[in-house]
Amino acid sequence: MMVKELNLVLLGGPGAGKGTQASRLVSEKDLEHLATGDILRDEVSRNTRLGKRAKEYMDKGELVPDELVIDMVRKRVENKSSSGYLFDGFPRTVEQAEALEGILELDAVIYIDVSREEVVRRLSARRVCSDCGTNFNLKFDPPSEEGVCDKCGGGLVQRDDDQPQVIEDRYDTFLKKTAPLIDYYRERGLLKEVDGEGTPGQVYQRVVDKLGENG
Ligand code: AMP
């Protein structure tokens, strides 16, 4: 018997907890995690052509142009066979959503809803391991030893785009460019809304409950 593919999108503003929820979902549902922000940061750190172009937008809290991101996603999906994908941070515009429709069929879009105040609180306290990419939060989920990753011992840093003004700009970008996708997917019957406030475990339980509603 063929195992049915499951293709999911995690939609939400910056700091909504997409990355945290994604790591749990991919390990429990055996999905391929496709986080465009992570891929772009990797391109930037390797100083590739794409990385150089993307950096100027990322540093300002703006979106990288659609054609660059769509091309990057298309290549990854075409070159791999997987039991399904979890898109994290993609699509972020209606144009990207339309392109994704031509690439594969989605089963559900999980929208993690978090207030602007909570986003600013979370992101200003976020620290990321410079080696393995694990996220910590100085207030809610601090590392055991200050400045050191619990998982791999790497050094913890603040993302360039987690500076206060850039956080505000990223949130404005989300409202303008990405929030229209909430209605876009609601109209297509794919949207599952989840309250993103609370602990990662509480939010994960809500996500799983929502996914379970249609089998
Ligand atoms: P994230 O890690 O998802 O918060 O993404 C960090 C930054 O990467 C964003 O602020 C954008 O500049 C860029 N980025 C990530 N995903 C996309 C996307 N789907 N479309 C355009 N830009 C993106």
Side-chain angles (χ1 to χ4, degrees):
M1 197 183 84
M2 281 260 295
V3 179
K4 194 193 170 298
E5 245 188 49
L6 182 68
N7 293 312
L8 303 174
V9 166
L10 271 180
L11 184 64
K18 298 189 294 294
T20 306
Q21 297 303 323
S23 352
R24 295 182 74 153
L25 270 172
V26 288
S27 61
E28 293 189 20
K29 301 217 176 268
D30 193 25
L31 303 173
E32 175 92 25
H33 185 193
L34 219 154
T36 44
D38 289 348
I39 302 171
L40 289 168
R41 273 186 292 281
D42 179 58
E43 297 278 346
V44 171
S45 72
R46 290 188 292 117
N47 208 21
T48 61
R49 240 175 90 185
L50 171 60
K52 279 185 217 154
R53 288 193 65 187
K55 187 174 167 26
E56 49 184 298
Y57 299 95
M58 294 170 79
D59 283 349
K60 288 187 280 186
E62 291 172 10
L63 294 184
V64 174
D66 284 330
E67 68 272 16
L68 293 181
V69 180
I70 291 169
D71 201 41
M72 186 177 92
V73 169
R74 196 191 301 277
K75 280 193 189 123
R76 300 217 166 213
V77 174
E78 276 170 2
N79 290 335
K80 276 194 195 126
S81 63
S82 154
S83 57
Y85 287 92
L86 178 68
F87 295 96
D88 165 1
F90 179 90
R92 256 178 159 100
T93 62
V94 169
E95 193 172 337
Q96 291 179 17
E98 285 169 352
L100 183 59
E101 267 171 28
I103 299 176
L104 48 70
E105 194 179 336
L106 290 177
D107 296 284
V109 174
I110 303 153
Y111 168 50
I112 309 181
D113 187 15
V114 173
S115 69
R116 185 175 191 128
E117 295 70 37
E118 176 69 8
V119 164
V120 174
R121 253 198 307 275
R122 285 183 187 179
L123 292 188
S124 41
R126 173 160 76 178
R127 296 294 180 274
V128 186
C129 175
S130 53
D131 287 342
C132 75
T134 301
N135 283 335
F136 294 86
N137 189 288
L138 299 184
K139 288 197 193 113
F140 318 114
D141 177 24
S144 323
E145 194 184 328
E146 202 186 313
V148 181
C149 175
D150 286 345
K151 261 200 191 156
C152 76
L156 301 185
V157 295
Q158 185 165 32
R159 271 172 51 170
D160 290 342
D161 60 356
D162 280 345
Q163 308 298 329
Q165 186 52 52
V166 187
I167 295 174
E168 298 289 344
D169 293 344
R170 285 163 67 205
Y171 199 84
D172 288 337
T173 303
F174 164 72
L175 288 182
K176 201 163 127 205
K177 301 271 179 67
T178 309
L181 291 180
I182 301 167
D183 277 341
Y184 179 95
Y185 283 123
R186 189 181 284 126
E187 281 162 17
R188 283 159 179 74
L190 289 171
L191 195 77
K192 313 243 173 233
E193 283 182 80
V194 169
D195 175 3
E197 313 236 348
T199 65
Q202 286 167 334
V203 178
Y204 186 70
Q205 195 50 52
R206 291 175 202 142
V207 170
V208 170
D209 290 348
K210 283 279 172 170
L211 286 176
E213 278 172 11
N214 63 346

